[in-house]
Amino acid sequence: MNVSVADIDQFKVQQSFFMPDQGPNPGLVNVTTKSGTNEIHGQIFEYLRNDAMDARNFFSPQPESLKRNQFGGAVGGPIRKDKIWWFGNYEGLRQVQAAVASGYTPTYAMFQGDFSQVGQTIYDPATFSSVSGTRSAFPGNIIPTSRINPVSKALLKYYLPGASLAETPSNLFGFPRVTLNDDTYGGRIDAALTARQTLYGQYIHENSPERTPGLMPLTGQYYPIQNDLIAIQHAFSLRSNLVNTLLIGGVRNYTLSANPALSLPSIAEAVGIPNTLDGHGIPYVNLQGYTPFGDGAGTLGDIENQYQLGDTLNYIRGTHDFQFGGGIHYIRTWQENANADANGSLSFLPQFSAQLVRNAQGQLLPESGTGNAFADFLLGMPNQAYTQGLPMIPYRYTEFMPYFADTWKLIPMLTLNYGISWFLSTVPNPQGKYHEWPHAFDPQTGLLTYAALGQISPEVMSTAYNHFTPRLGFAWQPGFLPKTVIRSGVGVYFFEDGLIELQGAMAAPPYNTAATYVNSTTNPQPTYVLGTNVFPPVSFPPLTSTFAASLPSPISAFVLNPSGRTPYSTQWNFSIQHTLSSRDMVEIDYLGSSSHKLQTRYDPSMCVPALPSLKCDKATSPYPRYSALLYLDFTGNSTYEAVVAKYTRRVGSGLNFNADYTFGKALADTEISGNNPNQIATCRRCDKAPASFDQTHRAVFSAVYDVPLGRGRRFGANMPHAADLAFGGWKVTGITTFATGRPINFTSPNTTGVFNTTVRPDRLCNGSLSGNLRQNGFVDFNTTCFVSPPAGYFGNSSRSPLFGPGQNNWDLGLFKTFPLHFMSENAEFELRAELFNAFNHTQFGQPNGNTGAGPNFGKISSAASPRLVQIAAKILF
C-alpha cells in the first residue's frame, strides 16, 4: 500500500527492539497520517524527472528515455470547529521508462545452424558409434537446416540474435518500455465526541498497474495491483490515568503478476510444446552461456482480504504505565504462487553436440570444451524439461495476539520496559473442493499420503500454541554520567507463516501434473526430444489407497513438512549515547539477531554424494520412483551482528550533520530463490555463507546546510530584494553512501541429473583479483580459480566466497521557500532540485558468477542508475 507523501505526518522505522503492542513481526514501519485542523490547510506538489537532465547508463549505447511525473495535493479543515475535521488527498504517478536491457545471444548465422565462427566443435549425436564411443563432427561446424528441430525453429521467433560473439559481456541491447500509472487517494475524518472521547475514520485506495516488458519478445510481467485500506479508531479516556483505544480495520490487496501473453491465444501448443498447465506464452528456455528467453510463469500472486480488530487499555499507576490489549486478524486469501513453471521450462547444455569421453568408471560423458548449448537447442535435445502449476486456491486463517506490557520508571534515571505477547495463528485452511487436495510425504514408505483418503489433515501442518514473544529492555542515565544514556533490549519475534510454502501441499498428482524430465549425461542418445515427448501427456488412475504406490515414473511433486513451524527471530541491542554539547551527540550500538525455522527447499530424493569426490550416483537416491521432490521445510537459520557508530550535529541554522558507520556480518545457511538454493540436501552447513544482503562496511553521511547568504544573513544582509529573491535563503542537502560489495552467488551448470539443486563450482584458489575493474576488462575476480565440476559431480565451493563491487554514491539537493503572502500569512512556495548519483559515479552491478557463462563468466554487464535529476515544486497553505 502506497501512502501519498502529502498524507504522511510522520513515520518511524522500528527494528531490533520494540514492545509487544506493535505486533509479533521483527520489523515494521509506523505511519501517522495527517488530519484536519480548525483552519484550512493543504498543499499542491509536482515532482518531475525526464531524460533531458539525466546522464547515460555506463553500459547503455545511448541515453535512456524517462518521463516521470509525480503530482497531487492535499487539503483539510474543519467541518465543525473544535469538533469535527476533514482531510483528503490525491497523488498520481505517470512514468514511462525505457532503460537499457542487454544480453549475450547467439548470432544470426548460428540461428541458421552455422557454428563455423564458434570456438567449439559441434558434433552430430546421430553419428554416435557404440563401438568407439564417439561422435563425428558436423561438416564445417554447420548443422544442416533439415536437422534443425521444427519446435526449436518455431521458438526462435521469440529470441533475438546478437551482433557478434566477440562483443562481451553483451552483444544485444534493447530499451523495453516500462509503464507505471499509479493513482492513490484517501480521506480522513476526526471528531471530538466529548471531552474524553475521540473518533477517527480513514480510507485509502491505490490503483497501480505496471507493465515491465523484457528484452526478448513475450517476456516481462504485467502487475494489475490494487489496494484498499479502511480504519476506524475510538479512544476513550475513562479516567485521567485510564485510556482505552479500539481499532477496527480492513485491508484488501490485489497483488498479481501476469505473463505478458496472458491475453493472447494459446501459443505453446502452436509451437509444439503440448501438455503444459497454462499454454499462454512459451516455456522459459535456459541456454548455458547465453541469455535465456521465454517466460515459463503463469499468473502469480494473491488476492487478500484482511479484517482487523484491536483493543488497548493504558493504565498509569504510580511509576508504571501498563498496557493490556490484543488483536484479531481474520484473513481470507486467494493464493496463486505455485505457478512459476505453468508454461514449462527447458534447460540446454553442451551435451548432445559434444564429443564423448569415458570417465574413471567407464561411463560416457560430454567432453569439456566441445559442443554448444545453442546447438543442443537447435537439435531439440534438452538436458532438463519441467512443468508445474496450480490454479488460484482460497485459504482462510485467523491470528490472535493478546499482550501485556509495562514501562516502569524504577528511579528517575532508570526506566524498565518489559512485556509479553502470545502469537497464535491457525494454519491456513484450503476451502471448497481444494479441501481434499492437500497431500504429504511418508519418508518411511516413500509414498504420498492424501487428505482425500483421510490419511492426513487438510491443513497438513498443526497449529502451534507455544509462540510467546517476551520483550525486555531498559534505558539508564547514570548519575555519574549525566550526559550519557545507556539502552538495551532483547525480544523474540515471529514471522508470518509462508503461504507460498503451504501451497506446496497442493502440487502433486492427481490434482497437479507436475513432471520433470531429465536426459542423463551418461546416455549418448536423448530420451526426451522437442516435438516428440516434451511434454508427454500424463494420466492418472482414480485416487484410491493404492494410488501412491502405482504412480508412473518419472513423476515429481512438491511436499510440505507437516512438522514445520513458524519462523522466529531473537533480536537484541545495546547502545551508549553521549551528548558532547548542546549541538553534538555521539552514539555506539551493538545489534544482533538469530533467526531459526526459516523456509528452506531441498530434494530428499536426490542422490547421496560420494565423499570426498562429491560424485552424484542416481543409484543412491532413497526414493528413485521420483524424478524430483521439492521438499518445503522450515529448518533454515541466519544470524546478523553489527556495530554502529553515529555522530549527530543539530543547530538552529547553519550545518546540520549526521554520520553513521556500520560494521556488520549477515550469515545464512539457506535463502529462498527458485526451486532450491542449496546444493546438497543432506548438508545445509555446506551452504552456510554470507547472506545476499551482507555488507561488511557501510558509511552514510547526510547534511542540511542553510547557506548564510541573503537579507538578514551573514553575507548579503542588505542585498536588494530582487537579488535576495534569486540568491538568498537557499539550503543545500546531501546524502553520501560508501559501502563494500555484496556476496557473489557462484553456480555451475547442473549435470548431476538432480533437478532441485543449485550446483556450485570447484574452487581451485582464492579468486580475489587486484586492480581496477576497467583495467581488468570488467572482470571482478580471477575466473581461473573457479571451474565447473566434472559431469555428474557437485562442486566444492561455498555459495558466496567473494564479494562484488562496492558503492560510492552522492545525492545532492538544493531548495528554497518563497513566501506567498498574497494567498495567506503562512502560505509558501517551495522549489527543489535534486540530483541522485550527482557525480555520475558508476555503481557497478554484480558479476556473472556462473562458470557456464563462457566468456562472460566473472564479467560485470550492468550498473545502477546514472545521474538522475528531479525538479520539484510545492505550494503549502
Side-chain angles (χ1 to χ4, degrees), residues 322-647:
F322 296 108
Q323 280 188 326
F324 306 89
I328 300 175
H329 296 172
Y330 174 62
I331 296 97
R332 304 177 65 207
T333 182
W334 293 260
Q335 295 282 324
E336 195 167 16
N337 285 304
N339 222 21
D341 294 288
N343 286 303
S345 67
L346 306 171
S347 178
F348 294 86
L349 303 177
Q351 179 177 346
F352 296 103
S353 63
Q355 183 57 284
L356 299 174
V357 294
R358 294 190 183 275
N359 62 10
Q361 290 76 35
Q363 296 173 312
L364 288 172
L365 295 171
E367 182 179 5
S368 177
T370 65
N372 190 286
F374 188 64
D376 278 46
F377 167 76
L378 292 181
L379 294 169
M381 301 175 180
N383 171 258
Q384 295 179 348
Y386 176 70
T387 183
Q388 186 275 328
L390 281 177
M392 185 171 281
I393 298 175
Y395 291 88
R396 307 289 184 266
Y397 65 103
T398 307
E399 297 175 340
F400 303 90
M401 292 159 284
Y403 65 85
F404 161 77
D406 179 24
T407 299
W408 182 14
K409 200 158 192 174
L410 292 165
I411 57 176
M413 298 299 181
L414 178 61
T415 301
L416 184 68
N417 304 99
Y418 65 96
I420 191 169
S421 69
W422 181 41
F423 177 53
L424 175 65
S425 177
T426 63
V427 177
N429 195 1
Q431 302 295 298
K433 69 177 183 179
Y434 302 106
H435 199 66
E436 295 185 347
W437 279 34
H439 67 277
F441 178 73
D442 185 344
Q444 301 301 318
T445 63
L447 300 178
L448 300 175
T449 55
Y450 291 89
L453 298 176
Q455 297 168 327
I456 61 166
S457 164
E459 297 175 350
V460 184
M461 296 171 61
S462 58
T463 299
Y465 295 93
N466 60 346
H467 290 168
F468 294 98
T469 65
R471 316 281 168 86
L472 177 63
F474 71 86
W476 177 39
Q477 187 175 14
F480 56 89
L481 292 172
K483 295 184 178 180
T484 301
V485 179
I486 300 173
R487 298 181 178 89
S488 185
V490 62
V492 175
Y493 306 83
F494 282 88
F495 303 87
E496 293 186 353
D497 284 322
L499 270 167
I500 294 178
E501 304 303 296
L502 294 179
Q503 289 171 80
M506 300 292 194
Y511 306 110
N512 174 270
T513 55
T516 304
Y517 305 95
V518 179
N519 278 320
S520 172
T521 54
T522 60
N523 188 346
Q525 298 295 343
T527 304
Y528 304 101
V529 177
L530 299 185
T532 302
N533 54 357
V534 177
F535 295 94
V538 179
S539 60
F540 300 106
L543 181 60
T544 64
S545 58
T546 62
F547 175 83
S550 59
L551 282 173
S553 183
I555 199 67
S556 59
F558 284 24
V559 180
L560 176 68
N561 182 2
S563 301
R565 287 293 179 264
T566 303
Y568 71 94
S569 177
T570 302
Q571 299 185 159
W572 59 90
N573 67 72
F574 180 83
S575 69
I576 301 175
Q577 185 183 85
H578 181 71
T579 302
L580 299 173
S581 69
S582 60
R583 297 180 174 182
D584 302 279
M585 183 178 67
V586 294
E587 181 178 337
I588 187 165
D589 305 332
Y590 165 64
L591 309 175
S593 69
S594 179
S595 301
H596 305 282
K597 300 189 185 299
L598 303 178
Q599 287 96 332
T600 54
R601 299 175 183 178
Y602 58 90
D603 190 341
S605 71
M606 72 180 297
C607 59
V608 179
L611 297 177
S613 68
L614 298 181
K615 177 178 171 54
C616 177
D617 184 353
K618 289 291 288 182
T620 63
S621 169
Y623 308 111
R625 72 167 58 242
Y626 302 99
S627 58
L629 278 179
L630 184 60
Y631 201 72
L632 311 177
D633 208 346
F634 299 84
T635 56
N637 306 279
S638 70
T639 59
Y640 176 71
E641 292 185 277
V643 175
V644 183
K646 303 177 182 179
Y647 168 70

Side-chain angles (χ1 to χ4, degrees), residues 93-167:
L93 175 63
R94 303 293 181 267
Q95 178 171 298
V96 179
Q97 184 176 17
V100 64
S102 61
Y104 186 75
T105 62
T107 64
Y108 178 79
M110 295 169 66
F111 273 46
Q112 313 307 310
D114 185 352
F115 289 77
S116 59
Q117 302 302 311
V118 176
Q120 306 89 10
T121 301
I122 308 301
Y123 290 86
D124 184 353
T127 63
F128 170 71
S129 168
S130 59
V131 177
S132 65
T134 61
R135 298 167 175 151
S136 300
F138 280 105
N141 236 26
I142 297 175
I143 300 175
T145 304
S146 60
R147 293 290 304 281
I148 296 178
N149 185 285
V151 176
S152 302
K153 189 173 182 179
L155 288 173
L156 285 178
K157 176 182 177 182
Y158 306 99
Y159 202 28
L160 299 176
S164 168
L165 294 184
E167 296 182 17

